[in-house]
Amino acid sequence: MKTIYKSAQEAVEPIQDGMTLMVGGFGLVGIPEQLILALVEKGVKDLTIISNNCGIDDWGLGLLLKEKQIKKMIASYVGENKEFERQALSGELEVELTPQGTLAEKIRAGGAGIPAFFTPAGVGTEIAEGKEIRVFNGKEYVLEESLTADFSLVRALKADTFGNLVYNKTAMNFNPMMAAAGNVTLAEAEEIVEVGQLEPGFIHTPSIYVQGLLQAEQEKRIERLTTR
Amino acid sequence: MKTIYKSAQEAVEPIQDGMTLMVGGFGLVGIPEQLILALVEKGVKDLTIISNNCGIDDWGLGLLLKEKQIKKMIASYVGENKEFERQALSGELEVELTPQGTLAEKIRAGGAGIPAFFTPAGVGTEIAEGKEIRVFNGKEYVLEESLTADFSLVRALKADTFGNLVYNKTAMNFNPMMAAAGNVTLAEAEEIVEVGQLEPGFIHTPSIYVQGLLQAEQEKRIERLTTR
Amino acid sequence: MTTANSRELIARRAEKEIANGDYVNLGIGMPTLVANYISPDKTVVLQSENGLLGIGPFPTEDEVDPDLINAGKETVTASIGAAYFDSAESFAMIRGGHIDVAILGGMEVSEKGDLANWMIPGKVIKGMGGAMDLVHGAKKIIVIMDHVSKKGEPKIKKQCDLPLTGKQVVNKIITERGLIEVTPDGLVLKEVFEGYTVQDVIDSTGADLKIDVNA
Amino acid sequence: MTTANSRELIARRAEKEIANGDYVNLGIGMPTLVANYISPDKTVVLQSENGLLGIGPFPTEDEVDPDLINAGKETVTASIGAAYFDSAESFAMIRGGHIDVAILGGMEVSEKGDLANWMIPGKVIKGMGGAMDLVHGAKKIIVIMDHVSKKGEPKIKKQCDLPLTGKQVVNKIITERGLIEVTPDGLVLKEVFEGYTVQDVIDSTGADLKIDVNA
């Protein structure tokens, strides 16, 4: 029932310069690898990217950064990436650092039609400067507004042809909330199965949030291999 | 790892007069049947109950109502229950009707440490009277505060001994958010399995939210039997 | 009052407002009937706010599962491709604008598109259920109802007298007499149904109607 | 600077703050070491804010799964009874007060329990990750760190000079020199570790210390 793209190039075709994109993943885990590569190839620029991290120098969102396709980055942790630091310090890149839980909740709120909410994270720090502070039950909270995107790019383990998604282990992370918060959501899945193959009680992202699907193999690079 | 009670009576033992309880279920589906019966037997009173509905005259929360154990009811729909209407109209019962989505979100917020959020539901109606209204992107929203409870009583299909829960079909409904919003959460499960028997990627309520477990058979009365 | 025939007519007309691929929420009562008339040429996914995306037909006696109901608390089945989820997720879906069409019943609709459908003061205490969330969330809100009350009084009025479910939320009203669009310029009568004239509809409507009937 | 030995001492002492049955979040760096010293007599569930409740040991080479990492982006395993979930649920857990203990690293802690651990202005841009949420969510916040900076300057001070992670959030500080509690009356030195005297700790601390050492 949903559009199944033949290639990542075809999937990202409608993404234009200046758009806001949410990109799933935590570190390199759960990132939509092929969609990111297709954005690099397409050369689309002046992007605002909302993602927990910004990849590493030679993989993931780091590739878009290297090609200077990102105008603004909204993230919680960007410490893995030297080029990021260089562009941020030089002023080439606009950066909005957001506490990770606030980022997750802003995206969740965006998909859920909640325009703003109060959270304790960041109260008394520079994150709360210029924002409304209000006391509930004797504790201070800061008002944070929701985030939405023109396109959300997510990575799933399995998709069915209706667009229901299942994620693998910690590759879930930001993907479900982003799937809900994108005006258009493109899901890159390791496998696309016939509708009816996924168990209705164990769907992580219901089909209503997904507009386009792409089947693609994943490299799954490991950032920090640690063994016993 | 979690307390597994031998009886519903034992499980509800610490519940005292005047407490606030969240009780899972939508209609009669997904209600913790035995815990409710034990509350009736215990005769605990002046309860504030947060639940989407209030049972029917002779089952579910309707039983607590009949015994006049409920002081205040926070719900979205109570139309199945004549005794409810009688007590509410006579002023014996305090009633706070809340839009269903707002109720779900207030409970979710309570478990998630969000003290308040803006929602469009109820703007321009009596629900929003006396509450703050604020405009975001040209649309009006009302500020709603979160809900928590002394005890949450939920009903699961399966629990493991750590307290991880899985729900069955539409018996999920309000149970997961309530499990998170209770200071103490008691889960009544049709089956308790050894830890390790539930698939980690498909747990509906992680064990962190659950303090006590009870295995109990369910009658599962049907409110409106409709067949083809 | 509508007869069974006119209820079918209303449901069939409402079905035309649903496009192939739409996600739809049908309210309790007459809106539920719409499900019976969805064209086999369309893939439509019905959402039930108690936590089901993909309502299937009513079950056979053997299929009845007490844990599987719709928002009207009727036993149902799940269709192929269905998903279950909790109530917070269900209303995230609704409030977040992901439902294409909601078809709701109504007690009164005003000329500005205000809807009253949840309460009659002093008479009954039922509660609004999910209606107040639905009217603000779905992309298109269609109210289907009898054109006039049991006493023959207009249900489409300059202003609602009953407590509101939502202000300026209705896009279209479908009754047994016709189809009315709520526009920034007021109510526009677009269709008149068999057995009624334009004048019949005007006479039984308590607000001004612009007439734009292609007949 | 702490040696490997003193890092172990700190981690072992921090472990004693964890009770049987606790749900615990361990920050990146030294806090991660605490996992190695959890008593086999305790059932402790470790939360990783990227969406895992129940971090197991590091994997063998055969067990490595690139889709299974901790918040420090290291490959891990899941322990028995584990659950995976999304980042919003993970921080609902954290913010909602469900984590019993969070053990975090620190750059500076003030006498009021303010914590700075995320940024050195003009030097590095990394981001706060989940630290700002954790300090407000967990029931008990324990900071483990070197007692003094590389230059030998106190890291426990009247006021933090670095940008804050949170105000009045720290409950206890454990360093290689001792254990300090943050109380409404100020900092209280409760334990002094081998190789140091009370005076050593006082001299290397940039804030007033009340002394309550049972020795």
Side-chain angles (χ1 to χ4, degrees):
Chain A
M1 192 176 88
K2 295 295 163 68
T3 309
I4 299 179
Y5 294 100
K6 293 202 179 59
S7 69
Q9 288 72 18
E10 190 190 358
V12 304
E13 205 274 324
I15 298 178
Q16 300 299 320
D17 290 358
M19 280 188 169
T20 296
L21 312 184
M22 290 185 181
V23 183
F26 182 99
L28 301 181
V29 174
I31 61 172
E33 299 181 359
Q34 296 303 314
L35 292 172
I36 293 171
L37 287 170
L39 287 176
V40 175
E41 189 184 320
K42 184 178 161 78
V44 62
K45 56 185 194 297
D46 292 329
L47 298 173
T48 294
I49 303 279
I50 301 167
S51 190
N52 189 56
N53 315 93
C54 196
I56 57 174
D57 283 324
D58 63 349
W59 192 238
L61 291 172
L63 299 171
L64 282 174
L65 200 64
K66 193 191 273 178
E67 301 299 327
K68 305 195 175 152
Q69 293 173 267
I70 306 179
K71 186 182 71 176
K72 179 177 179 180
M73 187 74 212
I74 300 176
S76 93
Y77 190 81
V78 291
E80 325 292 4
N81 198 309
K82 289 196 195 92
E83 174 65 10
F84 189 99
E85 199 158 84
R86 193 196 64 71
Q87 289 188 22
L89 290 172
S90 73
E92 289 166 61
L93 178 69
E94 201 181 329
V95 182
E96 194 171 308
L97 291 173
T98 307
Q100 195 173 136
T102 301
L103 183 62
E105 192 65 16
K106 281 161 80 90
I107 297 167
R108 192 248 172 209
I114 301 289
F117 58 90
F118 285 94
T119 177
V123 167
T125 77
E126 59 188 59
I127 295 307
E129 277 169 26
K131 294 175 183 165
E132 179 181 340
I133 304 292
R134 194 179 296 196
V135 174
F136 295 92
N137 291 319
K139 186 170 167 177
E140 287 183 321
Y141 295 85
V142 55
L143 184 68
E144 294 281 0
E145 295 193 15
S146 65
L147 289 169
T148 55
D150 296 309
F151 280 80
S152 282
L153 313 183
V154 303
R155 211 279 289 297
L157 176 65
K158 288 185 185 182
D160 70 19
T161 52
F162 262 35
N164 290 299
L165 304 181
V166 168
Y167 305 97
N168 188 37
K169 302 191 175 83
T170 57
M172 188 186 304
N173 56 63
F174 281 81
N175 284 300
M177 295 91 70
M178 287 181 172
N183 188 31
V184 176
T185 291
L186 304 177
E188 177 172 334
E190 296 180 51
E191 189 185 356
I192 299 179
V193 301
E194 279 306 307
V195 63
Q197 297 293 303
L198 299 178
E199 180 58 45
F202 300 116
I203 301 250
H204 295 131
T205 288
S207 65
I208 195 169
Y209 297 125
V210 177
Q211 281 69 47
L213 296 168
L214 173 73
Q215 191 278 322
E217 298 222 346
Q218 304 295 315
E219 280 193 27
K220 299 194 184 181
R221 294 197 191 171
I222 293 177
E223 213 164 331
R224 289 185 195 159
L225 180 67
T226 39
T227 53
R228 224 178 291 171
Chain B
M1 192 174 88
K2 296 297 164 65
T3 309
I4 300 178
Y5 295 100
K6 293 202 180 59
S7 69
Q9 287 72 17
E10 190 190 359
V12 305
E13 205 277 321
I15 298 178
Q16 301 300 318
D17 290 357
M19 280 190 169
T20 296
L21 311 184
M22 289 183 182
V23 183
F26 183 99
L28 301 180
V29 174
I31 61 172
E33 298 181 0
Q34 296 303 314
L35 293 171
I36 293 170
L37 288 170
L39 287 176
V40 175
E41 188 184 320
K42 185 177 160 74
V44 63
K45 56 183 194 297
D46 291 329
L47 298 172
T48 294
I49 302 279
I50 301 166
S51 191
N52 189 57
N53 315 92
C54 198
I56 58 175
D57 283 323
D58 63 348
W59 193 237
L61 292 172
L63 299 171
L64 282 174
L65 199 65
K66 194 191 274 179
E67 301 300 326
K68 303 194 178 152
Q69 294 173 266
I70 306 178
K71 186 182 71 175
K72 179 178 177 178
M73 187 74 211
I74 300 176
S76 93
Y77 189 82
V78 291
E80 325 292 4
N81 197 310
K82 288 197 196 89
E83 174 64 11
F84 189 99
E85 198 159 85
R86 194 197 63 73
Q87 290 188 22
L89 290 173
S90 72
E92 289 166 62
L93 178 68
E94 201 181 331
V95 182
E96 193 171 309
L97 291 172
T98 305
Q100 195 173 136
T102 300
L103 182 63
E105 192 66 15
K106 280 162 82 91
I107 298 166
R108 191 249 170 207
I114 302 289
F117 57 90
F118 285 95
T119 177
V123 167
T125 78
E126 61 188 58
I127 295 306
E129 276 168 27
K131 294 177 185 166
E132 179 182 337
I133 303 292
R134 195 180 294 197
V135 173
F136 295 91
N137 292 319
K139 186 171 168 176
E140 287 184 321
Y141 295 85
V142 56
L143 184 68
E144 293 281 0
E145 294 193 15
S146 65
L147 290 169
T148 55
D150 297 309
F151 280 80
S152 282
L153 313 183
V154 304
R155 212 281 288 297
L157 176 66
K158 289 186 184 182
D160 71 19
T161 53
F162 262 35
N164 290 300
L165 305 181
V166 169
Y167 305 97
N168 188 36
K169 303 193 175 82
T170 56
M172 187 185 306
N173 55 63
F174 281 80
N175 285 299
M177 296 91 70
M178 288 182 171
N183 188 32
V184 176
T185 292
L186 304 177
E188 175 172 336
E190 296 180 50
E191 188 185 358
I192 298 180
V193 301
E194 279 306 305
V195 62
Q197 298 293 304
L198 299 178
E199 178 59 45
F202 301 115
I203 302 243
H204 295 132
T205 288
S207 65
I208 195 168
Y209 297 125
V210 177
Q211 282 69 46
L213 296 168
L214 172 73
Q215 191 277 322
E217 299 222 348
Q218 304 295 315
E219 282 194 26
K220 299 193 184 181
R221 295 198 191 169
I222 293 176
E223 212 164 334
R224 289 187 195 158
L225 180 66
T226 39
T227 53
R228 222 177 292 172
Chain C
M1 275 298 281
T2 48
T3 61
N5 270 356
S6 64
R7 286 164 66 89
E8 180 180 331
L9 175 141
I10 293 171
R12 283 186 184 279
R13 181 59 192 83
E15 188 274 340
K16 291 187 190 160
E17 299 295 315
I18 299 172
N20 184 34
D22 273 359
Y23 288 86
V24 176
N25 183 294
L26 300 176
I28 295 168
M30 206 193 325
T32 306
L33 289 183
V34 176
N36 300 341
Y37 303 107
I38 292 173
S39 158
D41 301 340
K42 294 178 190 170
T43 302
V44 172
V45 181
L46 300 177
Q47 199 245 21
S48 192
E49 62 263 33
N50 57 317
L52 168 59
L53 191 65
I55 308 175
F58 290 125
T60 61
E61 272 186 44
D62 287 350
E63 285 172 337
V64 167
D65 182 337
D67 281 345
L68 179 44
I69 61 167
N70 65 16
K73 295 167 187 122
E74 299 166 318
T75 48
V76 293
T77 58
S79 62
I80 194 166
Y84 300 109
F85 35 79
D86 67 42
S87 301
E89 180 67 39
S90 185
F91 282 93
M93 229 171 246
I94 288 169
R95 207 190 300 104
H98 304 282
I99 303 285
D100 297 295
V101 182
I103 301 179
L104 303 171
M107 294 172 177
E108 295 179 339
V109 179
S110 82
E111 62 182 7
K112 301 229 153 140
D114 302 348
L115 173 66
N117 75 347
W118 76 281
M119 192 194 189
I120 304 172
K123 280 188 88 172
V124 285
I125 296 179
K126 283 187 182 298
M128 68 294 287
M132 286 192 181
D133 304 275
L134 274 163
V135 294
H136 285 286
K139 288 176 196 152
K140 195 157 74 168
I141 303 289
I142 295 165
V143 169
I144 65 176
M145 62 178 189
D146 301 334
H147 205 92
V148 296
S149 73
K150 289 183 193 174
K151 296 182 181 167
E153 285 160 3
K155 296 176 65 168
I156 302 166
K157 309 161 82 164
K158 283 199 180 304
Q159 284 194 314
C160 294
D161 293 310
L162 293 171
L164 293 185
T165 305
K167 274 181 100 154
Q168 298 183 38
V169 292
V170 177
N171 300 110
K172 289 188 187 180
I173 309 160
I174 302 174
T175 74
E176 77 283 5
R177 303 189 185 189
L179 183 148
I180 293 169
E181 275 185 25
V182 183
T183 77
D185 297 330
L187 300 177
V188 180
L189 179 64
K190 302 285 286 187
E191 297 174 24
V192 173
F193 298 149
E194 208 181 312
Y196 297 94
T197 64
V198 168
Q199 195 58 45
D200 288 339
V201 179
I202 291 172
D203 290 346
S204 56
T205 301
D208 291 338
L209 283 181
K210 289 188 177 56
I211 313 300
D212 182 21
V213 178
N214 301 314
Chain D
M1 275 299 282
T2 49
T3 61
N5 271 356
S6 63
R7 286 164 67 88
E8 180 180 330
L9 177 140
I10 294 172
R12 283 187 185 280
R13 181 60 192 83
E15 188 275 339
K16 291 185 189 159
E17 299 294 318
I18 300 172
N20 183 34
D22 273 359
Y23 288 86
V24 177
N25 183 294
L26 301 176
I28 295 167
M30 207 191 323
T32 307
L33 290 181
V34 177
N36 300 340
Y37 304 107
I38 292 173
S39 159
D41 301 339
K42 294 178 190 168
T43 301
V44 172
V45 182
L46 301 177
Q47 199 244 21
S48 193
E49 62 262 33
N50 55 318
L52 169 59
L53 190 67
I55 308 175
F58 289 125
T60 61
E61 272 186 44
D62 286 350
E63 285 173 339
V64 167
D65 182 337
D67 280 346
L68 179 45
I69 61 168
N70 65 16
K73 294 167 188 120
E74 300 164 319
T75 47
V76 292
T77 58
S79 62
I80 194 166
Y84 300 109
F85 35 80
D86 67 43
S87 301
E89 181 67 40
S90 185
F91 282 92
M93 230 171 245
I94 289 169
R95 206 190 301 103
H98 306 281
I99 304 284
D100 297 294
V101 183
I103 302 179
L104 303 171
M107 293 173 179
E108 296 178 341
V109 179
S110 83
E111 64 182 8
K112 303 228 154 145
D114 302 347
L115 173 65
N117 76 347
W118 75 281
M119 193 194 188
I120 305 174
K123 279 188 89 172
V124 284
I125 297 179
K126 284 188 183 295
M128 66 295 285
M132 288 192 181
D133 305 275
L134 274 162
V135 295
H136 286 286
K139 287 176 196 151
K140 194 156 74 167
I141 303 290
I142 295 164
V143 169
I144 65 176
M145 63 179 187
D146 302 334
H147 204 92
V148 297
S149 72
K150 289 181 192 173
K151 295 180 180 167
E153 286 161 0
K155 296 176 66 171
I156 302 166
K157 311 162 81 164
K158 284 199 180 301
Q159 285 195 313
C160 295
D161 293 311
L162 292 171
L164 294 184
T165 305
K167 275 182 102 155
Q168 299 182 39
V169 292
V170 178
N171 301 108
K172 290 188 185 180
I173 310 161
I174 302 173
T175 75
E176 75 284 5
R177 304 189 183 188
L179 183 148
I180 294 169
E181 275 186 23
V182 183
T183 78
D185 297 330
L187 300 177
V188 180
L189 179 65
K190 302 287 284 188
E191 297 174 25
V192 174
F193 299 149
E194 209 182 312
Y196 297 93
T197 64
V198 168
Q199 195 58 45
D200 287 340
V201 179
I202 291 172
D203 291 347
S204 57
T205 300
D208 292 338
L209 283 181
K210 290 188 175 56
I211 313 298
D212 182 20
V213 177
N214 302 317

